[in-house]
Amino acid sequence: MARRILLTVLMVGGLTGCWGQFRADPGHSGAQGFESTIGVANVANLAEVWTGTTGGPVASSPAVVSGVTYVGSDDHTLTAYDATGVTNCSGVPGICLPLWTATTNGPITSSPAIANGVTYIGSADHTLTAYDANGVTNCSGTPKTCLPLWTATTGGPITSSPAIANGVTYIGSADHTLTAYDANGVTNCTGTPKTCLPLWTATTNGPITSSPAIANGVTYIGSDDHTLTAYDANGVTNCAGTPKTCLPLWTATTGGAVRSSPAVLSGRVFVGSDDGRLHVFALAPTPPPPAPTTTALGSGSNPSVSGAPITFTATVTSSGGTPTGTVTFRDGASSLGTGTLSNGQATLTTSTLTAGTHAITADYGATATFAASTSPPVNQVVNPSAATLFVDRNHPNCTNTGTGTAGSPFCTISAAALKVTAGKTVSVAAGTYPERVTVAVSGTATAPITFSAAPGATVTVTGATNGFALSGRSSVTIRGFTVTGTSGEGITVTNANDITIDANRVSNAGQPASGLTAFGIKATGLAQSRITGNTTDHNSNAGISLATSSNNNIVSGNTSFANARGYVRAAAGIDVRNSTGNQVFGNVAHDNEDSGINAWTGLNDGSNAFFDNVSYGNGDHGIDVHDATNARITANTVYGNTDSGIEMTTSTGTVLANNISVDNGINSPRTSGNLRVDSPSAPTTTVNDDLLFLRTPGVMIDWNGIRYSSLSAFRTATGQESRGLQADPRFVSIAGSNFRLAAGSPAIDAANNDALGQPATDFDRATRFDDPATVNTGIGIVTYADRGAFEFRP
């Protein structure tokens, strides 16, 4: 029996706006923003102006686009009419014949969707079909009938109405499946007539009669399993496999089947359920992220005396207010105890520290309001009780034949060095001491010998062959002296172990002439020792030298600059060669005559690690790896060096990762490139996760004798640097030599935390920080470590 479709309008004329798919838009809001003719004042005057006859009942909701009305019916037919009731229409009220029709193999209760000149319709024959909405392509005859542009087969009848958004068609079916297809019938589509396979699918636990809604990159669908589910409309997040299947981003359970089609508008999702309720969902308020904090630690007495109480004070600050909570004080990995913050400060008093040097840190535990942070370590020196020898050349009662008491100190440091024994400290008062201090005896691991400038005193050792000389000694500390104007090395250590050279200023060692040059600090055959916190500058050879089996040492926190032989380019900032197992980190080397850092191991197993260093403005390379084996060059920042930034020559097994190398080797008279790896080194060198940049065009990478002007060209040719970045790292201030990262740097939260040699902390020995403004692109167990020496903190 013929049925009639009724369109009731107030007046016939030009139609504006469109109702292109079920409930008007992909979000199914049902809002018709174009209607301005019918309103409260005249809606009562509506009258029927035309009808169209179909071959069966009409349960499909019509769609109206560009003056054409599309509707499906139970007679398996999709019909298009002139919406104005003019073309193919006659009589008053008008009776309209189709502009064109299309036949499916099953009843149509799905509502058509029209987008970009294509009409999409689902049918009980398990098929989604696309037709030319204008009735031209694949259409012929009188009356005109149309064949599909493309079809797609689902696993069950389709009563759901399709939704179109961003070139994708979404449809649900009775086989419990939501399916996304290319709306243009191109991707995953083949054959004649053209048949399309899904871009992605998602499975629910019940038949789908609800129509999908798409809003802001999310697809929402209801199912008879009582559930409303959200998926990534782009088929990316929570999607995997071939063919691609997607898991939910979010689900909500109602008390009945969800046959209602969701509507999305103004941050809310609306859907009805067979439980007799309309359900409305909105975003729960998002609590602000914990405010970043900084923890600083101070000691009430450093050095202290064994058995005497020491009070440590931790100060925790934040731009988000005054932090509360607790602080754990640690001696290395061991907890000393906790303190509760009051007005941002917590204290701990202990007398349990044994004689020796203790790396004390304060860990602030996170709260809901404030993020965790750890202080830089405080090297707490604990001297044995009554174990201090005093030196003061300006004291009226000084004597070199006494016992070095405070009231009658030694006049020279050398005199104290002849009397000091294990467990004692030589405390030197302010003044200039023209002498060479030879350390005559060793300390022990539990009772070291310490030479230290008195608290707050400037102590200058000058004029002799060396400032301090140690040979064959162990467990000795040299701390806090200014050593300058020596004819040989400022501080020289030979065949020693457990030595600490800390917080000294060493300058102007030797003369810039052949045969007269000298290192600032030189160690030969040094083991298990520490060279930390020193400043070495204007020496006539490298500022710091580790040589000839100086193994398993730490070189950290030093600043080395302006070292130069003068007559030949050879003086580096830090020089490590013929040694193994050393860790060189947290140093700054700049404006040296030769390279900032030399990694010249020359052994069968070099295995030295260089990380968290900053090397800039040097006359040769930032980091020079030569004749090295298994060197690890990780998380360094290298800028503006005359020759190639990080260079490897005749080396094997070198690993580079997470470094930043910028503007190196520009207009170099010798080598160029932010990275350079020569032919003998290239086969066994691994480089990845580095950030490289040139502000002027030039050589980005010199590899195996071939120069590449871009990272992409290098990657294509070699397969190396698969995660490398070529981008401006956005340093805070190059002019001010501040190579920390500014907000928005591509190095933030982008490192490979599992790279060989990657440190857990940065240049400041601070733990990694997850910047809330940056999407994590890093990989490994920590996905938010930063590339380069510095971890960004707002």
Side-chain angles (χ1 to χ4, degrees):
M1 179 177 67
R3 304 285 179 171
R4 291 196 302 167
I5 178 170
L6 172 65
L7 292 185
T8 304
V9 299
L10 179 65
M11 61 182 295
V12 177
L15 298 177
T16 60
C18 70
W19 193 276
Q21 51 190 298
F22 182 67
R23 304 298 295 151
D25 56 30
H28 297 334
S29 66
Q32 176 51 280
F34 299 101
E35 178 55 49
S36 60
T37 301
I38 304 171
V40 174
N42 59 13
V43 68
N45 297 327
L46 287 173
E48 182 177 284
V49 295
W50 67 265
T51 61
T53 301
T54 69
V58 178
S60 169
S61 296
V64 183
V65 175
S66 300
V68 179
T69 300
Y70 306 85
V71 70
S73 67
D74 283 2
D75 67 345
H76 305 192
T77 303
L78 171 66
T79 308
Y81 299 94
D82 178 4
T84 63
V86 176
T87 303
N88 292 358
C89 301
S90 62
V92 178
I95 297 176
C96 294
L97 298 177
L99 300 176
W100 58 265
T101 62
T103 302
T104 66
N105 291 319
I108 300 174
T109 57
S110 170
S111 297
I114 296 88
N116 297 319
V118 178
T119 302
Y120 306 86
I121 193 71
S123 172
D125 64 353
H126 303 198
T127 303
L128 173 67
T129 309
Y131 299 95
D132 179 3
N134 298 312
V136 177
T137 303
N138 291 358
C139 301
S140 61
T142 304
K144 185 179 288 185
T145 60
C146 294
L147 297 177
L149 299 177
W150 59 264
T151 63
T153 302
T154 65
I158 300 174
T159 57
S160 169
S161 297
I164 317 297
N166 299 319
V168 178
T169 303
Y170 305 85
I171 192 72
S173 68
D175 67 344
H176 306 194
T177 302
L178 169 67
T179 309
Y181 299 95
D182 179 5
N184 298 312
V186 176
T187 303
N188 292 358
C189 299
T190 58
T192 303
K194 188 175 287 186
T195 302
C196 294
L197 297 176
L199 300 177
W200 58 264
T201 62
T203 303
T204 65
N205 291 318
I208 298 174
T209 56
S210 168
S211 295
I214 298 92
N216 198 27
V218 179
T219 301
Y220 305 85
I221 193 71
S223 172
D224 285 3
D225 63 355
H226 300 196
T227 302
L228 175 66
T229 307
Y231 300 93
D232 179 1
N234 297 312
V236 177
T237 303
N238 290 1
C239 301
T242 303
K244 185 178 287 185
T245 59
C246 295
L247 297 176
L249 301 174
W250 167 86
T251 60
T253 301
T254 70
V258 181
R259 296 178 294 162
S260 165
S261 298
V264 185
L265 188 66
S266 300
R268 284 174 167 77
V269 182
F270 307 79
V271 74
S273 169
D274 283 3
D275 63 1
R277 295 183 179 183
L278 172 68
H279 298 264
V280 184
F281 304 91
L283 294 175
T286 302
T293 64
T294 299
T295 299
L297 177 64
S299 168
S301 177
N302 193 6
S304 61
V305 177
S306 178
I310 311 167
T311 299
F312 296 103
T313 300
T315 302
V316 185
T317 56
S318 173
S319 60
T322 302
T324 59
T326 60
V327 173
T328 300
F329 296 83
R330 300 185 187 280
D331 179 8
S334 301
S335 173
L336 294 174
T338 60
T340 301
L341 287 174
S342 175
N343 295 321
Q345 287 192 329
T347 60
L348 176 78
T349 300
T350 181
S351 57
T352 62
L353 296 180
T354 59
T357 300
H358 301 260
I360 309 298
T361 56
D363 291 342
Y364 170 62
T367 67
T369 307
F370 297 98
S373 58
T374 300
S375 73
V378 169
N379 290 322
Q380 178 68 40
V381 178
V382 180
N383 296 319
S385 59
T388 300
L389 305 182
F390 294 92
V391 178
D392 186 355
R393 73 186 307 267
N394 297 312
H395 195 286
N397 296 325
C398 78
T399 175
N400 286 337
T401 61
T403 58
T405 65
S408 183
F410 294 112
C411 300
T412 66
I413 307 171
S414 296
L418 294 173
K419 299 289 183 67
V420 72
T421 57
K424 293 189 177 183
T425 293
V426 176
S427 179
V428 184
T432 299
Y433 294 79
E435 56 180 303
R436 179 179 189 261
V437 180
T438 302
V439 179
V441 296
S442 296
T444 67
T446 57
I449 290 173
T450 298
F451 290 81
S452 177
T458 299
V459 180
T460 301
V461 182
T462 185
T465 305
N466 314 109
F468 288 86
L470 296 84
S471 180
R473 303 292 173 240
S474 61
S475 301
V476 176
T477 294
I478 309 294
R479 175 178 289 116
F481 293 94
T482 297
V483 180
T484 187
T486 56
S487 61
E489 278 69 42
I491 299 175
T492 178
V493 184
T494 306
N495 298 329
N497 67 86
D498 190 24
I499 303 297
T500 298
I501 302 173
D502 179 64
N504 302 285
R505 169 80 182 274
V506 184
S507 64
N508 295 294
Q511 298 180 37
S514 179
L516 300 177
T517 61
F519 298 94
I521 300 172
K522 182 177 182 181
T524 303
L526 179 67
Q528 303 289 341
S529 297
R530 298 147 295 279
I531 301 176
T532 56
N534 302 283
T535 299
T536 58
D537 63 281
H538 295 89
N539 299 290
S540 59
N541 210 328
I544 298 173
S545 170
L546 288 185
T548 316
S549 298
S550 289
N551 302 332
N552 303 313
N553 301 291
I554 290 175
V555 180
S556 174
N558 304 285
T559 299
S560 191
F561 66 95
N563 298 288
R565 289 189 182 182
Y567 65 94
V568 61
R569 178 182 52 81
I574 298 173
D575 187 282
V576 179
R577 63 181 68 201
N578 300 321
S579 302
T580 186
N582 296 290
Q583 297 188 59
V584 180
F585 61 90
N587 303 286
V588 177
H590 68 91
D591 297 291
N592 295 287
E593 177 186 62
D594 197 63
S595 298
I597 299 174
N598 278 340
W600 292 29
T601 59
L603 295 179
N604 290 331
D605 183 13
S607 298
N608 294 294
F610 300 82
F611 56 91
D612 287 345
N613 299 290
V614 179
S615 184
Y616 66 93
N618 297 287
D620 198 18
H621 312 290
I623 300 176
D624 186 2
V625 184
H626 177 66
D627 280 351
T629 303
N630 298 338
R632 308 290 179 252
I633 314 297
T634 313
N636 302 284
T637 295
V638 177
Y639 172 80
N641 297 282
T642 300
D643 293 340
S644 49
I646 304 176
E647 173 163 298
M648 283 132 284
T649 53
T650 59
S651 298
T652 58
T654 307
V655 174
L656 269 69
N658 298 328
N659 301 285
I660 296 177
S661 187
V662 174
D663 286 353
N664 297 286
I666 297 176
N667 298 322
S668 170
R670 294 176 295 274
T671 62
S672 56
N674 284 318
L675 300 179
R676 178 175 180 265
V677 182
D678 71 357
S679 297
S681 306
T684 60
T685 295
T686 301
V687 294
N688 207 352
D689 297 280
D690 300 300
L691 189 154
L692 311 177
F693 188 64
L694 289 174
R695 287 180 171 80
T696 60
V699 177
M700 186 68 66
I701 299 175
D702 184 339
W703 181 274
N704 199 21
I706 301 174
R707 296 182 173 185
Y708 299 91
S709 61
S710 69
L711 178 60
S712 60
F714 168 72
R715 181 187 293 126
T716 299
T718 67
Q720 298 266 19
E721 287 288 5
S722 61
R723 280 179 33 86
L725 295 175
Q726 181 176 326
D728 186 346
R730 301 191 64 179
F731 295 133
V732 170
S733 173
I734 292 175
S737 300
N738 185 345
F739 298 101
R740 297 177 184 274
L741 303 175
S745 168
I748 297 172
D749 296 355
N752 177 1
N753 192 75
D754 290 348
L756 197 61
Q758 170 69 6
T761 56
D762 72 346
F763 178 93
D764 299 312
R765 315 305 346 126
T767 54
R768 301 297 176 182
F769 172 76
D770 191 355
D771 177 28
T774 302
V775 176
N776 296 342
T777 57
I779 59 176
I781 192 170
V782 176
T783 60
Y784 50 81
D786 297 351
R787 303 188 189 197
F790 296 103
E791 187 78 7
F792 171 76
R793 283 173 172 78

